[in-house]
Amino acid sequence: MKIIKKLNIDITKKKLYNYCEVIYLKKNKLGNKISYNIKRIMSEKGIIQKELAKKMNLTEVNMSAFFTRLENNGSSNVRTLSNIADALETELYLFFK
């Protein structure tokens, strides 16, 4: 609310709710969720993107492109996600939590 007041925007509570809901939906798309969970698991295991790429016999550029595509509403397939889960020594379902 402070930002809205600072900008002197006249907005009703309903419009604000709808606006926040749209932002929430954009931020919580499946690709973003999967990417976030993969990166969280990588962080917990102390693995950086470069190491994950090496474990999967990919280049850093390919690994980066995978995450970018996933986060921009791109798609992935179960085989790729399964390979990432294997490389991280974790269960595939954890990417969807």
Side-chain angles (χ1 to χ4, degrees), residues 5 22 41-42 58 66 69:
K5 287 179 183 176
V22 168
I41 293 166
M42 288 170 57
L58 297 173
F66 165 80
R69 185 176 59 247

Side-chain angles (χ1 to χ4, degrees), residues 28-38 40-41 66 70 75-82 84-85 90-97:
N28 290 294
K29 291 188 177 176
L30 185 58
N32 286 332
K33 185 177 197 174
I34 293 168
S35 178
Y36 171 81
N37 285 324
I38 292 171
R40 179 184 51 78
I41 293 166
F66 165 80
L70 197 58
S75 61
S76 182
N77 58 46
V78 175
R79 184 182 330 140
T80 301
L81 295 175
S82 180
I84 292 172
T90 192
E91 297 295 325
L92 179 61
Y93 79 91
L94 293 174
F95 297 166
F96 298 90
K97 273 184 114 176

Side-chain angles (χ1 to χ4, degrees), residues 41-87:
I41 293 166
M42 288 170 57
S43 177
E44 289 171 1
K45 294 184 177 264
I47 296 172
I48 60 174
Q49 199 167 302
K50 179 179 181 177
E51 294 168 333
L52 179 60
K54 187 175 180 180
K55 284 184 173 194
M56 296 181 62
N57 295 318
L58 297 173
T59 66
E60 291 176 64
V61 173
N62 287 346
M63 196 82 252
S64 179
F66 165 80
F67 282 111
T68 300
R69 185 176 59 247
L70 197 58
E71 292 164 2
N72 290 321
N73 303 322
S75 61
S76 182
N77 58 46
V78 175
R79 184 182 330 140
T80 301
L81 295 175
S82 180
N83 289 341
I84 292 172
D86 290 344

